[in-house]
Amino acid sequence: MEPAATARPPARDRALGRQLRDDLEPHHRAMAAAVARATATARGIDGVLHVGFSTPPAGEIVMKAAEALHTSHPDLAVEICEVPLSDPYGQLRKGEFDVQLTEFPVREHDLGEGPALLTEERVLAVAASHPLSVRTAVSLEDLASVPLLTVDGEVPDYWLEQHVPTHTPGGRPIARGPAVTNMQEALMLVAGGKGALLSVAHTAPPTTPGPASPTFRSRTRSPSATAWCGGPRTTPARSGPSPGRP
């Protein structure tokens, strides 16, 4: 399938997108430095920067930066939006996002990606009633004992295999559960015992009833980085323009 054509975003938004891509870090002190540099770039500029995020931890990072940036430069807005599971790169390609903080891997010829900014442990979210819920850790072979929720939508095969593998490392088949399109739907089905979900730690808030999330004994980790339109050797400043947005 050919990717949608993209158009060059405004220079002010592209500059800020590049600044966030280069500077955002998972720790608060690094976050403060990133915001300070983004503010310097934004000084005297009015506009909106659109940022997508794929996981709650990534969304929290972007939100903290956006709040601090708005305080120091109230005429600049940073709008953030969760990326749907069913279409992990579609909004970025359509120009609805200037930059996106997303989980690896990203193997799209028309998308560039930066270095890892955030690394989270992977967990297996299961219903509180499931036998695996009482464990503090599970192995990848345990995936054969519970159906995994799958994703319904425009998702690349490699992305689907990363999030919903078909077999364990030992070759045992992994059953499929219901298909979902977003994270809230997935957590609801997990809590109801309809299947399990491979996700990063802190996907569900601590007060969410139902799902339990044992970690993997192998300490499997999932890095996240920024992605943008324009191919692997470009930066957001060289990306194509964003149709549909001024």
Side-chain angles (χ1 to χ4, degrees), residues 119-139:
T119 302
E120 282 277 293
E121 272 192 333
R122 296 190 86 192
V123 299
L124 180 65
V126 295
S129 59
H130 194 277
L132 292 178
S133 67
V134 299
R135 299 193 194 177
T136 57
V138 295
S139 74

Side-chain angles (χ1 to χ4, degrees), residues 203-219:
T203 292
T207 56
T208 300
S213 301
T215 60
F216 287 98
R217 294 192 188 98
S218 60
R219 295 297 181 189

Side-chain angles (χ1 to χ4, degrees), residues 81 101 106 131:
C81 183
L101 189 54
V106 179

Side-chain angles (χ1 to χ4, degrees), residues 181-234:
T181 60
N182 60 73
M183 187 60 68
Q184 290 305 312
E185 180 185 4
L187 292 175
M188 180 183 68
L189 290 176
V190 170
K194 303 301 183 182
L197 176 71
L198 276 175
S199 65
V200 298
H202 311 121
T203 292
T207 56
T208 300
S213 301
T215 60
F216 287 98
R217 294 192 188 98
S218 60
R219 295 297 181 189
T220 305
R221 302 183 73 83
S222 179
S224 294
T226 49
W228 58 90
C229 278
R233 289 185 172 82
T234 68

Side-chain angles (χ1 to χ4, degrees), residues 27-42:
H27 305 294
H28 287 201
R29 283 181 295 182
M31 177 65 64
V35 169
R37 282 188 285 272
T39 301
T41 303

